[in-house]
């Protein structure tokens, strides 16, 4: 039987406003929207204008009122310290009200920004919901980012409060957050008024009330039982800011609104993910990323599901069977993670022996996103789990899948390498560099026709001009995804590569440009280039090339190590910047452009041509030799046979 997708997509194409009006019925509104879409507002128009609602109300209160109070909303499972706990909808509501009371006492109200810099603990998720309850705007910062990155986010968001913890837990080490926090506040121009610190058993942080620091648990314990009602917000008011890598060191603050976000996520749960209320949904990611915002926190709650807050890694904590243990123990119906997690599991357990140890009969589907899903990984997962493995494509900016296969509407035939077809709301075209749609099967820039659907970013925080410039101006009438790819005759989208300097390392989005900015600060570095090179597990890892100043006579390995340390200190360990090489000269065109693309092809053993415009061909030979000495670019033959 043909998937219902085709009828649903056509219904959206024929009447987008009617489609989203119907979808909006699944949300509780304090005041119904006056207009489903108003083109005259915002950068490209706004959804559900005139509507009033509250995201926390839709996630918690309405479910408790409807009798779902005793169902588990969250299960917390930490393989890092063995903690296991579950929370019913009613219990989460109590906790969220208490946190909201604390925030209110600290002067947080509608529109105020709150930075949340926390590990994967329930209090982090409850804090997000408490902000939503008050109409405050949260900005979650991933724990693997360094102080400087946190400072950049404090400056841009001008947050009044930071909620943090004493530590994060990484394999083999306890990551103390307080020193990072103190350094970030010292570096930031915009300083928060207060910090709330959650003390974890593994590390006690010094808390100084005179500096506006308070113990999270102490204040929340005192506030438990207080009634804090949901503050009505406009559908178009911001729910959160999530910073993501842009092409400069300055991160982009993606702004998500309340109304459109809820409507889109709610629609996606039954239709894309095939989830019925009451079932367990597990997104193995982190709330620091968009995947965590959408599918650990908001979408599962909106849909009345139980969501798992998992603290751990897919391998080594304690072994490659962890995911199967969690999935079996909690009867997970749908698992969502990044392909890199599966590559890591497969590396450690190639035969899938751990899978055999668990009863995974309840599992219906695996969803993969965050980076390109390679066929080998897809095949391995299909074979071992014996469920549909669904590659779906989206970005921090879109907040929910642009293209996917639809479990809820019935599956379409699979094509490995393609996240299948665009979801309702997304009209996807492939354009040439002049902005003209290209024929099927032709590689080009993937762009989405405006308006973007509900749930997508409405702008960058306080930076409409930057949003227009970086996403809308190049192809008028379109949002530029900055992904390159093709659409085939069946309308299947194939996402091949980024068109900017973003790389995808272990499912984390990183800007090589911002790493170059840090490398260039080293006093001995004259010039540098950072490219993404293929990695068997992480997909890509950053690889830095340094040219040293003339006078430098120190050991190059020492300088390379210092530069790697600087990137770790300034961007964070998550940058995984460990591969640094020193070369006498960078390959450049005669007009001075560094040939990063060619360097990357050489590193990845891809066919490459000597660019006609190269200034000095010998520079590429040196790069190749240096890469080879460092364990890359082994397949000489591809280099020896340039393509015409
Ligand atoms: N706080 C502090 N440090 C962190 C951190 C956090 N929240 N998350 C990662 N780091 C550190 C790691 O400890 C590591 O440090 P190290 O260099 O001292 O070893 C570094 O950042 C790189 O981490 P990571 O990229 O996670 O690599 P890894 O080798 O530790 O693990 C994987 C590799 C593939 C197992 C892991 O990346 C993974 O589980 N990925 C899934 C990705 C994912 O969920 N993506 C979200 C989109 S769906
Ligand atoms: P992020 O904003 O971190 O979610 O990263 C978004 C980017 O990750 C996209 O622009 C793509 O380059 C890449 N990406 C995400 N999902 C996929 C996918 N299923 N296939 C190919 N690339 C993907």
């Amino acid at each position: 039987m043909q998937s219902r997708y085709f009828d649903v997509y056509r219904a959206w194409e024929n009447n987008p406003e009617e489609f989203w009006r119907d979808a909006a019925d699944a949300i509780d509104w304090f005041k119904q929207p006056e207009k489903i879409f108003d083109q005259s507002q915002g950068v490209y128009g706004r959804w559900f204008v005139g509507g009033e609602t509250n995201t926390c109300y839709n996630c918690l209160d309405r479910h408790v009122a409807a009798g779902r109070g005793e169902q588990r909303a969250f299960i917390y499972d930490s393989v890092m310290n063995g903690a296991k706990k579950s929370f019913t909808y009613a219990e989460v509501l109590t906790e969220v009200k208490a946190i909201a009371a604390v925030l209110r006492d600290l002067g947080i109200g509608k529109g105020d920004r709150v930075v949340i810099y926390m590990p994967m603990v329930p209090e982090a998720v409850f804090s997000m919901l408490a902000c939503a309850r008050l109409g405050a705007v949260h900005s979650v910062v991933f724990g693997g980012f360094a102080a400087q990155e946190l400072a950049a986010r404090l400056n841009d968001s001008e947050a009044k409060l930071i909620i943090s913890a004493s530590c994060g837990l990484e394999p083999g080490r306890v990551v103390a957050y307080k020193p990072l926090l103190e350094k970030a506040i010292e570096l930031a121009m915009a300083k928060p008024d207060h910090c709330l610190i959650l003390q974890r058993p593994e590390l006690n942080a010094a808390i100084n009330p005179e500096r506006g620091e308070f113990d999270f648990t102490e204040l929340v314990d005192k506030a438990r039982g207080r009634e804090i009602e949901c503050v009505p917000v406009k559908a178009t008011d911001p729910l959160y800011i999530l910073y993501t890598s842009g092409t400069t060191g300055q991160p982009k603050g993606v702004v998500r609104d309340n109304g459109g976000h809820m409507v889109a996520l709610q629609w996606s749960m039954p239709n894309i993910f095939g989830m019925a209320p009451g079932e367990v949904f597990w997104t193995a990611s982190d709330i620091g990323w968009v995947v965590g915002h959408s599918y650990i926190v908001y979408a599962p709650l909106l849909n009345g599901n139980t969501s798992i807050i998992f603290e751990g890694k897919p391998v080594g904590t304690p072994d490659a069977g962890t995911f199967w243990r969690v999935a079996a123990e909690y009867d997970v119906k749908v698992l969502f993670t990044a392909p890199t997690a599966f590559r890591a599991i497969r590396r450690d357990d190639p035969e899938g022996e751990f899978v055999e140890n668990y009863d995974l009969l309840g599992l219906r589907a695996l969803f993969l996103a965050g980076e390109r899903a390679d066929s080998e990984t897809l095949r391995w997962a299909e074979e071992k789990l014996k469920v549909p493995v669904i590659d779906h494509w989206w970005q921090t900016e879109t907040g929910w899948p642009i293209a996917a296969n639809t479990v809820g509407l019935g599956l379409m035939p699979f094509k490995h390498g393609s996240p299948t077809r665009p979801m309702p709301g997304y009209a996807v075209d492939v354009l040439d560099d002049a902005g003209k749609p290209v024929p099927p099967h032709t590689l080009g820039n993937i762009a989405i026709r405006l308006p973007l659907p509900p749930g997508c970013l409405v702008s960058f925080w306080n930076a409409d001009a930057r949003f227009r410039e970086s996403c809308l101006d190049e192809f008028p009438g379109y949002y530029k995804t900055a992904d390159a790819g093709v659409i085939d005759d069946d309308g299947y989208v194939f996402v091949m590569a980024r068109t900017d300097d973003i790389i995808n390392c272990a499912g984390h989005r990183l800007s090589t440009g911002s790493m170059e900015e840090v490398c260039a600060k080293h006093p001995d570095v004259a010039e540098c280039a950072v490219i993404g090179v293929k990695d068997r597990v992480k997909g890509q890892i950053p690889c830095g090339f340094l040219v040293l100043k003339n006078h430098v006579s120190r050991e190059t390995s020492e300088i390379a190590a210092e530069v790697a340390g600087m990137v770790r200190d300034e961007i964070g360990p998550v940058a995984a910047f460990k591969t640094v090489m020193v070369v006498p000269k960078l390959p450049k065109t005669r007009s001075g452009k560094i040939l990063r693309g060619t360097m990357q092809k050489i590193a990845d053993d891809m066919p490459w041509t000597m660019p006609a415009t190269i200034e000095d061909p010998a520079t590429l030979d040196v790069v190749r030799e240096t890469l080879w000495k460092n364990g890359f670019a082994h397949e000489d033959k591809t280099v020896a046979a340039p393509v015409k």
Side-chain angles (χ1 to χ4, degrees):
M1 207 177 69
Q2 201 191 39
S3 165
R4 285 198 298 122
Y5 160 85
F6 296 94
D7 292 338
V8 172
Y9 191 80
R10 215 170 298 122
W12 164 73
E13 275 185 312
N14 290 342
N15 196 338
E17 290 201 18
E18 192 176 293
F19 181 90
W20 291 118
R21 180 182 294 114
D22 289 350
D25 282 346
I27 295 304
D28 282 13
W29 300 90
F30 301 151
K31 183 169 166 259
Q32 286 293 326
E34 285 153 18
K35 273 189 165 180
I36 299 303
F37 183 69
D38 184 348
Q39 194 162 11
S40 70
Q41 293 202 20
V43 178
Y44 61 85
R46 297 301 304 266
W47 290 98
F48 307 111
V49 172
E52 278 183 18
T53 182
N54 181 287
T55 296
C56 182
Y57 179 85
N58 276 279
C59 286
L60 299 174
D61 302 61
R62 66 163 172 167
H63 293 311
V64 173
R68 201 174 281 287
E70 294 315 304
Q71 183 199 306
R72 290 179 303 184
F74 288 109
I75 295 165
Y76 169 53
D77 190 308
S78 171
V79 261
M80 305 310 295
N81 65 7
K84 286 184 188 184
K85 215 168 166 195
S86 64
F87 302 86
T88 64
Y89 272 83
E91 285 166 344
V92 175
L93 183 55
T94 303
E95 292 309 298
V96 167
K97 281 182 183 169
I99 299 170
V102 171
L103 300 192
R104 182 166 281 173
D105 292 348
L106 292 174
I108 300 299
K110 194 167 166 175
D112 290 331
R113 274 81 61 207
V114 176
V115 160
I116 299 175
Y117 183 62
M118 292 179 104
M120 283 293 286
V121 289
E123 290 82 355
V125 174
F126 301 163
S127 297
M128 291 166 76
L129 291 160
C131 290
R133 192 166 192 86
L134 296 177
V137 181
H138 63 67
S139 185
V140 181
V141 180
F142 179 62
F145 282 123
Q148 187 114 353
E149 291 287 320
L150 181 55
R153 286 149 175 82
L154 288 173
N155 280 339
D156 196 69
S157 66
E158 297 173 306
K160 282 170 79 172
L161 170 71
I162 305 184
I163 309 179
S164 189
S166 57
C167 64
L169 304 176
E170 283 295 297
R173 72 195 162 104
V174 171
V175 183
Y177 278 14
K178 191 72 194 318
L180 291 168
L181 210 63
E182 283 171 10
K183 191 167 167 209
I185 294 172
E186 192 188 307
L187 289 170
M189 308 284 285
K191 307 205 191 281
D193 300 335
H194 301 107
C195 296
L196 277 176
I197 310 289
L198 174 79
Q199 298 282 20
R200 300 191 75 188
E202 292 76 13
L203 184 74
N204 204 62
I207 293 177
N208 183 353
E210 278 169 23
R211 298 218 316 245
E213 299 168 359
F214 302 103
D215 184 305
F216 180 96
T217 313
E218 255 176 49
L219 297 196
V220 174
D221 280 349
K222 278 191 212 140
R224 202 166 286 115
R226 272 172 64 187
E227 272 309 313
I228 301 288
E229 289 311 312
C230 291
V231 173
V233 294
K234 289 191 199 131
T236 49
D237 279 341
L239 169 70
Y240 71 75
I241 310 170
L242 180 58
Y243 288 89
T244 188
S245 300
T247 46
T248 66
Q250 177 66 20
K252 306 189 288 192
V254 164
V255 180
R256 198 92 59 210
D257 66 9
N258 278 275
H261 177 243
M262 279 195 280
V263 172
L265 291 188
Q266 169 72 74
W267 185 87
S268 73
M269 284 304 274
N271 293 296
I272 301 179
F273 296 95
M275 290 301 294
E279 294 181 327
V280 181
F281 188 80
W282 179 24
T283 299
S285 176
D286 189 288
I287 51 152
W289 309 117
V290 67
V291 169
H293 279 62
S294 295
Y295 291 105
I296 293 174
V297 186
Y298 290 111
L301 290 193
L302 288 167
N303 198 46
N305 292 113
T306 302
S307 176
I308 297 182
I309 301 169
F310 171 75
E311 187 180 30
K313 304 265 176 182
V315 291
T317 57
D319 54 39
T322 297
F323 272 23
W324 322 135
R325 193 270 299 162
V326 173
E329 191 167 329
Y330 304 116
D331 192 22
V332 169
K333 297 297 177 202
V334 169
L335 167 61
F336 174 176
T337 190
T340 188
F342 267 73
R343 287 195 297 267
I345 293 171
R346 184 174 167 220
R347 179 197 58 195
D348 285 13
D349 180 22
E351 301 309 319
E353 285 166 17
F354 280 109
V355 186
E356 312 288 324
N357 298 340
Y358 298 96
D359 174 1
L360 295 178
L361 286 176
L363 190 69
R364 288 199 298 257
L366 166 69
F367 279 78
L368 297 176
E371 53 172 325
R372 195 173 155 75
D374 56 287
S375 308
E376 259 179 75
T377 305
L378 285 168
R379 256 195 299 276
W380 187 86
E382 281 166 349
E383 192 188 304
K384 301 300 171 207
L385 296 181
K386 299 181 180 62
V387 295
V389 178
I390 293 152
D391 174 19
H392 62 318
W393 167 54
W394 48 303
Q395 311 185 314
T396 304
E397 288 84 344
T398 68
W400 64 289
I402 308 166
N405 211 330
T406 47
V407 171
L409 298 175
L411 288 171
M412 293 172 262
F414 286 89
K415 294 190 191 189
H416 279 181
S418 168
T420 317
R421 297 176 56 103
M423 290 299 93
Y426 294 99
V428 180
D429 285 333
V430 177
L431 309 175
D432 65 16
D433 288 345
K436 223 169 93 246
V438 297
H441 296 284
T442 312
L443 184 68
N445 304 287
I446 314 184
I448 302 165
R449 254 177 270 157
L450 293 175
L452 289 166
C456 289
L457 84 166
V458 295
S459 189
F460 296 148
W461 181 251
N462 281 341
D464 287 351
R466 188 176 175 204
F467 173 49
R468 280 197 195 92
E469 202 180 298
S470 63
C471 300
L472 308 182
D473 283 354
E474 190 169 339
F475 304 121
Y478 285 95
Y479 162 79
K480 176 179 91 168
T481 65
D483 277 317
V486 299
I487 297 182
D488 74 5
D489 288 324
D490 297 325
Y492 279 56
V493 182
F494 291 75
V495 183
M496 316 299 283
R498 291 285 299 196
T499 57
D500 55 14
D501 73 344
I502 301 291
I503 63 165
N504 224 307
C505 175
H508 310 316
R509 173 167 158 176
L510 303 167
S511 154
T512 53
S514 61
M515 293 185 216
E516 287 182 3
E517 281 176 29
V518 179
C519 297
K521 287 189 204 164
H522 191 285
D524 293 340
V525 171
E527 266 192 308
C528 62
V530 176
I531 58 170
V533 300
K534 256 193 210 143
D535 181 81
R536 215 160 54 90
V537 171
K538 296 194 175 193
Q540 279 184 304
I541 50 165
C543 171
F545 293 85
L546 311 177
V547 176
L548 303 182
K549 288 180 182 159
N550 283 337
H551 62 86
V552 177
S553 56
R554 294 169 57 210
E555 277 294 320
T556 53
S557 57
E558 225 174 82
I559 298 169
E562 283 167 10
V563 169
M566 282 169 67
V567 173
R568 190 177 171 94
D569 284 350
E570 291 201 21
I571 297 179
V574 69
F577 187 75
K578 295 183 177 170
T579 314
V580 189
M581 305 170 198
V582 175
V583 288
K585 218 171 154 191
L586 289 173
K588 286 186 190 171
T589 62
R590 281 190 286 275
S591 60
K593 207 167 160 270
I594 299 170
L595 290 159
R596 294 181 183 81
T598 313
M599 293 162 75
Q600 184 180 345
K601 282 187 180 146
I602 294 174
D604 289 351
D605 295 325
M606 307 255 294
W608 62 282
T609 38
M610 181 63 72
T613 54
I614 193 164
E615 184 193 32
D616 176 2
T619 51
L620 272 180
D621 292 335
V622 175
V623 161
R624 184 162 60 83
E625 206 179 299
T626 312
L627 278 164
W628 182 75
K629 282 188 192 149
N630 282 276
F632 300 93
H634 357 66
E635 287 186 35
D636 253 8
K637 64 178 191 303
T638 55
V639 176
V643 285
K644 289 250 165 8

